[in-house]
Amino acid sequence: MRLSYDKFLQTFPRASGRLARYGMAFLSSGVTLIVCLFLNQALSGSLPLTLFIIPVVVSAWFGGLGPGLLSTLLCGLASDYFLTEPHFSFFSMDTADWERLMLFLATSGLLNWLIMMMRSARQEVEARARDAVQRQSELEAQIDERERARAERERLITELETERARLNAIIEHIPAGVILAEAPGGRIVMVNPQVEQILGRPMIMSPDIESYQEWLAYEVNDRPVEGHDSVLAKTLQGEVVTGKEILFHRGDGTKAWIRVSGAPIRDANGKLVGGVDLITDIDEEKRASEALRINQERLNLAQKASQAGSFEWNPRTNAVIWSEETEALFGLAPGSFGGSYEDWTRCVHPEDVSRTEQELRRAIVDGEGVFEYRVVWPDRSVRWIQSRGKVFFDEAGEPLRWVGINIDITERKRMEESLRRQTEALREADRRKNEFLAILAHELRNPLAPISNAIQILTLRGDDPALVSQTKEVMERQVHQMSRMVDDLLEVSRIGRGKISLQTAPLDLADVIATAVETSRPLIEAHRHTLTVSLPERPARVEADGARLAQVLSNLLNNAAKYTEDGGRIDLIVEQAQGEAVIRVRDNGIGIAPERLASVFDMFEQIEGASDRSQGGLGIGLTLARRLVEMHGGKIEVQSAGLGKGSEFVTRLPALAEPAMEPAMEPAPEPSDGPTIPSAIGSRRVLVVDDNVDSAESLAVLLRLYGHDVRLAHDGEAALEEARSYQPDVMFLDLDLPKMDGYEVARRLLLEPAMSAMTLVAMTGYGQEEERRRTREAGFHSHLVKPVDFDTLQDLLSSLPANQSRNGQGRGKASLSSR
């Protein structure tokens, strides 16, 4: 539409003019017809047709051929219709009328042609006149342009001469050598006198650059000039050379430093027309700079070696003068120190101001002193400074000034602090190493004890299938426990050496949690805990190794089960927040002391609570969990309000946006009771107390096979109740027990008169001298280390006085599952 409208605007003037011309033909023909009608009435019908020639001539003259022909046609038709009888009809004429009409049309056509020829001739004459006027105008414009160009050329020549004079004056007096050469031939066109002065030899004007280079290569005392002859050649190739420094051999044989720069010269069209070299004598500058550099390097080396700066303080005016080195020691720019005592104290660490001022006053009294303090740099970093100074006194004995040096001892302090921390770390590592070895021995002896007992059982009753089957199950469980501990150690080692690679894939956390819960269910049920699993409404998906992630969650659940009193509560909660999958394992167990929160994930770290080391484990489960979570790009943290207030382990993993179906978890099969076997009546009443059920029950089987009456207890409180009701001859008491450790059980029993005849035997996995000392001090009669040699056990039982036995003959049979 826009294009059509623009075209209409362009053609509108032509169209309107054409309409005006044709309209004039209609108008003139109409006016003539009206006049002819009046005349026809006045002349009684004898009006000649030649009157209609008038509108034809007018239309043709002013409108052109088209309007003229139109007017001829209109007039002929009007004459026939209005003026020829019969009126008001076309072509009802006689011969005379036809002849008259044809004559009119022929005459009008001839007039139209003649007028058209006259108009064409007139238009051609007018066009030629316009062309002549235009050519004359263009000629005058060209003459004016040439005059202006000539004037501009004369002005430019004048300016060029002026600039050339200025350039010559500058080149003649500039304190540098200037060499100009033409391109491409390399002809030297100008050399100022300074070139000879700087180079120390007369300049031989040569027509080209090759001769110039031969002059530069002139040997003086067999030492040729090298280097700067290439600068001019490069400029003539269009390159720019800036500040090339050259050791030059003067004509007198001495050496001098010069700086050569060069640039190409181009015309207004960018064509390379020449090159210019600028030679500057920098010998004195270079030698002074080299001397300054050497001195500065020596000074810097001395300052760096000593890290010292001088100072002077006037106690009367509090004015302080610092060297630049001292300003640098305090992190200040040269000259930025305020110069007063208060300015110095503002640099001192706020915690050291009071002590430092006291030491300074004491040094003034003593006449000299050395003290150390911290300073805070403007960037808030902290440095250590040692000040050594001497006081100068006036004749009256008043302090006049304190002069000394400041030394940066930050590195020494850091080394001292590092050594202190390393010493503490070594001590801690040694402590944890000893503790780990003790725990490792304890944890390995725990499964070895039931295995040793099982071997004795198989030796004595290998013909009893039920007993052999039960003993085999005990051995398999304990071997599995030992294998798990060894696997954990190897896992940590492989992760530390980067030998473990994850097999990741998109998975639903519900599947991982089901696997972890199934793995930890036996331990949770053994402690009678209530486990609640809470999953989000929408599936939580992560990119992870399902087996490794299940291992992490199983470790956390096992940890919660071990460090929560029996009958406790464990919550496993899965949430999704801000692109993360959050897994919380929360318990109401013994909790963690605030000072231990930062180290619970350290290798071999044991969570301590009401019963130290009573829960077993090597202290590597949490370390393994943290490293596996970090390998998944996540993080794990622990929270606890303190001892006795439970704990919460929070695992965060990057979540996937794609949902998955929530899996259903099947409950683990209920554990079945073991078989029972009868045993003979024993000669001693024995109470075995051990939280390791397999160890306790296998020992009980052995003792019953040898005729002893045996009862069992698996925690400290049950041991007290069983001992008071059973009154055993001998109590084999493990030291690490839930609810109450073996030391507390022994202390309480030894306070009761009824228990005075009982032999109290410590039976534990810890065999260090420290443990043996503690059991002696606690009142134990003997200390046995798991696995206990059964012959040693028999010797101990047989060594008891006969009257100590409280065994009643004919007592009923006992079973493996008794208490």
Side-chain angles (χ1 to χ4, degrees):
M1 292 296 295
R2 178 65 184 174
L3 182 60
S4 301
Y5 180 69
D6 292 342
K7 187 175 181 182
F8 168 74
L9 291 179
Q10 294 173 3
T11 59
F12 179 75
R14 296 195 298 271
S16 60
R18 187 179 299 111
L19 291 175
R21 290 194 298 272
Y22 283 98
M24 183 177 59
F26 280 102
L27 179 62
S28 60
S29 299
V31 171
T32 302
L33 176 61
I34 294 172
V35 171
C36 289
L37 288 175
F38 282 108
L39 291 176
N40 188 48
Q41 292 179 359
L43 297 176
S44 301
S46 59
L47 180 68
L49 192 59
T50 56
L51 289 176
F52 285 100
I53 295 298
I54 297 172
V56 173
V57 172
V58 172
S59 298
W61 182 261
F62 291 102
L65 180 62
L69 294 177
L70 177 62
S71 181
T72 300
L73 178 63
L74 291 175
C75 290
L77 293 176
S79 174
D80 178 39
Y81 190 76
F82 292 103
L83 301 178
T84 304
E85 293 181 355
H87 298 297
F88 308 114
S89 64
F90 286 109
F91 310 119
S92 300
M93 301 180 293
D94 55 14
T95 305
D97 292 333
W98 277 107
E99 292 176 352
R100 188 173 56 177
L101 178 62
M102 292 298 106
L103 179 61
F104 168 76
L105 293 176
T107 303
S108 297
L110 179 61
L111 288 174
N112 280 318
W113 179 78
L114 291 174
I115 291 171
M116 181 189 69
M117 295 302 292
M118 292 174 63
R119 283 173 57 88
S120 299
R122 186 186 65 183
Q123 290 175 356
E124 184 177 355
V125 171
E126 290 176 353
R128 290 179 179 178
R130 286 195 300 270
D131 291 342
V133 172
Q134 183 177 1
R135 285 196 296 272
Q136 182 178 359
S137 299
E138 291 177 354
L139 182 60
E140 291 176 353
Q142 291 177 1
I143 293 173
D144 292 340
E145 182 66 26
R146 289 178 182 177
E147 288 296 328
R148 286 194 297 269
R150 184 179 62 80
E152 180 68 17
R153 183 168 59 253
E154 291 177 354
R155 186 184 65 80
L156 291 176
I157 291 174
T158 302
E159 292 181 356
L160 181 61
E161 292 295 334
T162 303
E163 293 297 327
R164 182 178 297 169
R166 292 175 181 172
L167 179 61
N168 289 334
I170 292 173
I171 292 176
E172 290 293 330
H173 298 89
I174 190 173
V178 179
I179 301 175
L180 294 176
E182 290 182 344
R187 186 174 67 89
I188 306 297
V189 297
M190 188 183 73
V191 177
N192 69 346
Q194 284 77 1
V195 174
E196 296 181 354
Q197 297 175 8
I198 294 173
L199 300 183
R201 66 177 64 166
M203 179 67 184
I204 302 175
M205 289 300 296
S206 54
D208 51 34
I209 190 172
E210 287 78 9
S211 301
Y212 166 69
Q213 290 175 339
E214 290 177 2
W215 173 76
L216 289 176
Y218 179 79
E219 293 189 2
V220 180
N221 297 330
D222 298 327
R223 290 170 295 182
V225 176
E226 298 176 354
H228 73 281
D229 60 322
S230 62
V231 175
L232 186 58
K234 290 181 179 179
T235 60
L236 293 177
Q237 295 174 1
E239 297 185 27
V240 176
V241 182
T242 304
K244 184 174 182 180
E245 296 182 354
I246 303 164
L247 184 60
F248 183 79
H249 298 279
R250 294 186 184 273
D252 58 2
T254 61
K255 296 180 180 180
W257 282 96
I258 60 174
R259 180 182 293 118
V260 183
S261 299
I265 302 175
R266 300 182 184 275
D267 60 14
N269 297 322
K271 180 181 178 182
L272 183 66
V273 296
V276 58
D277 268 13
L278 187 67
I279 304 174
T280 309
D281 187 350
I282 60 169
D283 190 61
E284 293 184 2
E285 173 189 343
K286 193 72 174 179
R287 296 184 189 277
S289 176
E290 183 66 15
L292 180 62
R293 184 187 64 81
I294 294 173
N295 291 335
Q296 189 65 38
E297 287 182 354
R298 291 172 180 171
L299 181 59
N300 291 341
L301 182 61
Q303 290 176 343
K304 289 180 180 179
S306 61
Q307 291 186 324
S310 61
F311 67 87
E312 180 177 334
W313 171 48
N314 188 332
R316 299 177 181 178
T317 63
N318 270 344
V320 180
I321 300 175
W322 277 3
S323 66
E324 290 186 0
E325 292 75 24
T326 295
E327 289 179 317
L329 293 179
F330 282 73
L332 302 177
S336 62
F337 177 61
S340 68
Y341 179 85
E342 289 74 18
D343 292 323
W344 167 71
T345 57
R346 279 193 287 268
C347 296
V348 179
H349 196 287
E351 297 178 1
D352 293 353
V353 172
S354 177
R355 175 182 59 81
T356 304
E357 289 184 325
Q358 292 177 3
E359 293 180 352
L360 178 58
R361 287 192 292 268
R362 184 165 52 250
I364 292 177
V365 173
D366 296 340
E368 60 182 7
V370 179
F371 48 91
E372 300 172 353
Y373 56 93
R374 292 172 293 173
V375 297
V376 181
W377 281 21
D379 62 1
R380 311 310 301 168
S381 61
V382 177
R383 309 285 294 183
W384 275 94
I385 299 295
Q386 182 186 77
S387 292
R388 293 175 175 267
K390 181 178 178 61
V391 182
F392 292 86
F393 299 91
D394 60 13
E395 295 178 354
E398 294 296 326
L400 183 62
R401 64 181 183 275
W402 164 268
V403 180
I405 60 172
N406 289 321
I407 303 174
D408 190 326
I409 59 171
T410 305
E411 292 303 321
R412 193 194 77 189
K413 284 290 185 179
R414 288 175 179 171
M415 291 178 64
E416 291 176 356
E417 179 65 16
S418 177
L419 288 174
R420 184 187 65 79
R421 291 178 179 176
Q422 289 178 13
T423 301
E424 292 179 355
L426 288 174
R427 290 175 181 169
E428 177 65 15
D430 185 63
R431 181 193 67 79
R432 291 172 61 185
K433 180 261 296 181
N434 292 334
E435 182 175 350
F436 167 70
L437 291 176
I439 294 173
L440 180 61
H442 175 271
E443 292 301 311
L444 290 176
R445 285 167 177 158
N446 271 339
L448 286 175
I451 292 175
S452 177
N453 294 338
I455 293 174
Q456 292 293 331
I457 293 172
L458 293 176
T459 302
L460 295 173
R461 297 290 298 275
D463 55 347
D464 188 335
L467 190 58
V468 169
S469 176
Q470 183 180 7
T471 304
K472 179 183 176 183
E473 292 178 2
V474 170
M475 294 178 70
E476 287 176 347
R477 282 196 300 269
Q478 298 307 316
V479 169
H480 175 73
Q481 175 71 6
M482 292 180 67
S483 299
R484 185 186 62 81
M485 286 189 291
V486 173
D487 288 342
D488 284 348
L489 287 171
L490 293 176
E491 287 281 86
V492 173
S493 174
R494 284 196 293 268
I495 290 177
R497 290 182 289 115
K499 298 297 184 180
I500 286 185
S501 60
L502 301 179
Q503 304 296 324
T504 60
L507 51 84
D508 190 346
L509 279 180
D511 298 332
V512 178
I513 290 172
T515 302
V517 169
E518 195 66 27
T519 302
S520 302
R521 186 183 298 277
L523 182 61
I524 295 173
E525 292 180 347
H527 288 275
R528 304 189 304 279
H529 295 317
T530 299
L531 173 63
T532 303
V533 178
S534 177
L535 299 176
E537 294 181 359
R538 299 181 61 185
R541 292 179 58 79
V542 296
E543 182 83 14
D545 187 322
R548 294 297 183 183
L549 198 53
Q551 181 181 2
V552 170
L553 298 180
S554 177
N555 277 343
L556 296 179
L557 289 172
N558 291 344
N559 189 75
K562 290 192 296 182
Y563 290 98
T564 300
E565 299 293 341
D566 289 356
R569 177 181 179 85
I570 301 174
D571 296 319
L572 196 158
I573 305 168
V574 181
E575 302 171 338
Q576 296 187 81
Q578 299 179 351
E580 290 184 329
V582 183
I583 308 171
R584 303 179 184 273
V585 178
R586 183 184 303 156
D587 63 66
N588 61 347
I590 63 175
I592 305 172
E595 64 273 11
R596 301 298 297 274
L597 286 174
S599 61
V600 295
F601 292 104
D602 293 345
M603 183 74 76
F604 311 135
E605 184 71 17
Q606 295 284 331
I607 299 178
E608 297 181 0
S611 177
D612 186 21
R613 298 184 302 183
S614 63
Q615 305 303 326
L618 300 179
I620 62 177
L622 293 180
T623 303
L624 187 61
R626 180 181 64 179
R627 295 187 179 179
L628 287 174
V629 169
E630 290 174 349
M631 289 176 66
H632 283 83
K635 60 181 179 179
I636 185 171
E637 56 190 15
V638 61
Q639 302 170 2
S640 177
L643 293 176
K645 297 182 179 180
S647 59
E648 181 180 31
F649 287 83
V650 182
T651 303
R652 302 179 186 274
L653 297 169
L656 296 178
E658 182 182 356
M661 297 298 294
E662 183 177 349
M665 295 191 301
E666 297 181 359
E670 294 293 334
S672 60
D673 293 336
T676 61
I677 59 171
S679 62
I681 299 175
S683 60
R684 293 285 187 269
R685 297 163 60 86
V686 181
L687 176 59
V688 177
V689 183
D690 196 336
D691 61 336
N692 187 319
V693 177
D694 284 341
S695 178
E697 291 187 348
S698 60
L699 179 59
V701 170
L702 272 176
L703 292 173
R704 289 174 184 141
L705 290 176
Y706 278 87
H708 301 291
D709 186 25
V710 184
R711 292 191 182 182
L712 302 176
H714 300 299
D715 60 61
E717 293 180 356
L720 286 177
E721 296 176 1
E722 194 68 37
R724 290 165 181 161
S725 62
Y726 182 48
Q727 294 190 355
D729 299 321
V730 182
M731 176 185 285
F732 293 106
L733 181 61
D734 192 9
L735 298 179
D736 291 342
L737 294 172
K739 299 183 180 180
M740 185 186 304
D741 65 19
Y743 296 104
E744 181 64 17
V745 173
R747 187 186 67 79
R748 295 190 183 188
L749 289 177
L750 293 176
L751 293 177
E752 299 181 11
M755 299 290 106
S756 60
M758 180 183 64
T759 298
L760 192 59
V761 179
M763 189 169 59
T764 177
Y766 298 108
Q768 289 79 3
E769 183 58 34
E770 175 64 19
E771 300 292 343
R772 296 180 184 275
R773 181 190 63 77
R774 290 184 62 189
T775 55
R776 287 196 300 269
E777 293 176 355
F780 284 88
H781 298 89
S782 183
H783 185 114
L784 300 180
V785 180
K786 298 178 182 178
V788 180
D789 181 73
F790 197 75
D791 292 337
T792 301
L793 196 65
Q794 279 288 77
D795 292 341
L796 186 148
L797 292 172
S798 62
S799 66
L800 296 178
N803 59 1
Q804 189 172 342
S805 175
R806 303 174 185 175
N807 182 44
Q809 299 297 324
R811 190 179 298 272
K813 298 180 180 179
S815 70
L816 204 73
S817 60
S818 63
R819 302 206 188 181

